[in-house]
Amino acid sequence: MTEIFRLEELFPENALPKEQNINFHKALSMGESFAKKNVKPNNCLICNSSKNPFCNSHSVPARCLRAIAINGDVKIFNGLVKIPAVDDDKGVNEAGTFRLICRDCDEKIFKEYETFEKYPDKNPPDKVLHQIALKNYLKFYYKKAVEAKAFPKMLENLQLPNSALLEPVLKPGDRDKKDSFKAIYDTKKLLNSNTNGYYRIVEYRKLDYTCPFAFQGSISLITGFDGEIINDVFNTDKKYDLQDMHVCVFPEKDYTYIIVFYKKHFQRYSQFAKHYSNLSQEERLQLLLYIILKYSEDYFYSASIQTIENDPVVHDAITTTTMMICDYEEEEGAKIKKCIQEYNLNNYKKLPNVLSKCYVKS
């Protein structure tokens, strides 16, 4: 039987006594520390230099995090997931950072996209979008590399009631690492090109308020609104490529940029883009929030909206993982059908729309 795996099955609330909570926290810390020491490359992944010091790059521009921080902290995914003994906030300097490139590259390569003051009224140039895409692929590669190192170390030390479920769920995705590394290489080559219209821009909008929520990342939608398959996550054919879409929520003082785009030749998104264009502006924001919560954990939000942490609709959206516990003998078609049902985008309307202006504290 195909089953959607949920995080609370691994970490049921109050399931661990105090001593086990402490041991669990230690195991997580040891695994993460070990991984970060062992995934840093010898050379910068952009310029290939080994001479310049490496930088703590932010997956979301630090200026966006500062715009929503309270007392220097932002809330992270565990504020919603509530895994025992794991922090639910981080300081701006630590939130969403990775170490793969040198300081010189971090300051130069991403300059245009992080300078919101120079954003045009109409669609941004390809150069800005190339920079956003490259940052997303770097972060994704780093995440998968850390998982590959951290999870085996964690499993050595963890003693959980549902540990039998943990190992197959946390098994690192080698294909994800390889695909993201190739995406980094391909996008680097585009940085100095003169492309025009390389991407289909689904949304580019400047809101006149500061959203209490920040996100930047690439997301591979499984399905859209009509049960179509956008990405078959069970397809093991080496010639089958997952197609991703880039989503950005960039809050700043007094305004927020919303940017959504994908490579123009990614035709599997055409039906989604058409449906998206027919939604109202408020519906688009609500849908994007649903997509982010459903597919990612790399978002940040302000403590000013922490009331959403007890919202059952929000909890239902964020506790699904795309990793499936399946009977290996089951037909592949049954697996993807269950996934399509779980990730149907029509469910977005139930979600509290924290990207809308009504959630801004006056």
Side-chain angles (χ1 to χ4, degrees), residues 221-232 267-275 295 336 339-341 343-346:
L221 292 182
I222 294 171
T223 187
F225 297 90
D226 303 314
E228 74 275 22
I229 297 176
I230 298 177
N231 285 290
D232 183 351
Q267 292 300 313
R268 298 205 297 266
Y269 280 98
S270 58
Q271 192 172 337
F272 162 81
K274 183 178 180 180
H275 196 128
Y295 283 89
I336 191 64
C339 235
I340 288 172
Q341 180 182 354
Y343 285 83
N344 187 308
L345 294 185
N346 290 300

Side-chain angles (χ1 to χ4, degrees), residues 159-173:
Q159 295 294 326
L160 288 176
N162 296 318
S163 58
L165 291 176
L166 191 61
E167 190 166 358
V169 172
L170 298 184
K171 185 178 180 181

Side-chain angles (χ1 to χ4, degrees), residues 92-273:
V92 168
N93 291 336
E94 299 177 306
T97 58
F98 61 92
R99 293 175 66 82
L100 292 176
I101 63 176
C102 70
R103 190 172 300 161
D104 285 353
C105 284
D106 187 74
E107 293 176 354
K108 296 175 183 177
I109 296 297
F110 305 117
K111 185 176 181 180
E112 282 82 3
Y113 107 77
E114 293 185 347
T115 309
F116 304 144
E117 294 80 3
K118 294 186 178 181
Y119 274 23
D121 293 333
K122 295 184 178 180
N123 290 343
D126 279 1
K127 186 175 184 179
V128 166
L129 302 183
H130 291 327
Q131 292 176 14
I132 292 173
L134 179 58
K135 174 72 77 68
N136 291 343
Y137 294 137
L138 285 165
K139 172 60 178 177
F140 188 76
Y141 174 81
Y142 184 80
K143 179 179 180 180
K144 292 301 174 181
V146 167
E147 287 176 358
K149 296 288 185 182
F151 289 156
K153 196 73 174 178
M154 288 162 54
L155 289 173
E156 289 178 13
N157 298 284
L158 282 174
Q159 295 294 326
L160 288 176
N162 296 318
S163 58
L165 291 176
L166 191 61
E167 190 166 358
V169 172
L170 298 184
K171 185 178 180 181
D174 289 334
R175 181 176 176 178
D176 287 338
K177 278 181 62 182
K178 293 176 182 177
D179 288 349
S180 56
F181 191 81
K182 183 180 183 300
I184 291 170
Y185 178 79
D186 292 342
T187 310
K188 276 199 310 181
K189 294 192 296 184
L190 292 170
L191 289 177
N192 296 318
S193 64
N194 293 317
T195 63
N196 183 23
Y198 185 81
Y199 300 97
R200 164 76 186 273
I201 299 178
V202 182
E203 180 83 271
Y204 175 68
R205 188 169 18 141
K206 184 179 182 181
L207 307 176
D208 63 356
Y209 56 90
T210 304
C211 281
F213 190 95
F215 177 76
Q216 178 186 335
S218 63
I219 290 173
S220 296
L221 292 182
I222 294 171
T223 187
F225 297 90
D226 303 314
E228 74 275 22
I229 297 176
I230 298 177
N231 285 290
D232 183 351
V233 292
F234 299 106
N235 193 322
T236 57
D237 188 339
K238 292 182 179 180
K239 295 182 180 180
Y240 184 85
D241 291 327
L242 296 181
Q243 297 184 356
D244 59 348
M245 176 177 72
H246 300 277
V247 179
C248 305
V249 180
F250 291 151
E252 246 295 351
K253 185 179 180 181
D254 301 328
Y255 63 86
T256 303
Y257 273 104
I258 306 291
I259 308 174
V260 184
F261 63 96
Y262 61 86
K263 294 177 183 178
K264 191 168 283 186
H265 63 275
F266 281 0
Q267 292 300 313
R268 298 205 297 266
Y269 280 98
S270 58
Q271 192 172 337
F272 162 81

Side-chain angles (χ1 to χ4, degrees), residues 18 24 31 40 46 50 58 68 112 119 137 144 159 161 190 213 270-271 273 281 300 320 325 331 344-345 353:
K18 184 177 180 181
F24 177 60
K40 179 185 167 185
I46 294 181
S50 60
H58 280 81
I68 64 172
E112 282 82 3
Y119 274 23
Y137 294 137
K144 292 301 174 181
Q159 295 294 326
L190 292 170
F213 190 95
S270 58
Q271 192 172 337
Q281 291 190 352
F300 308 94
T320 301
I325 306 296
E331 294 182 7
N344 187 308
L345 294 185
N353 189 7

Side-chain angles (χ1 to χ4, degrees), residues 209-212 256 304-305 354-362:
Y209 56 90
T210 304
C211 281
T256 303
S304 66
I305 59 167
V354 299
L355 300 186
S356 67
K357 198 169 188 175
C358 64
Y359 275 85
V360 177
K361 299 293 183 181
S362 57

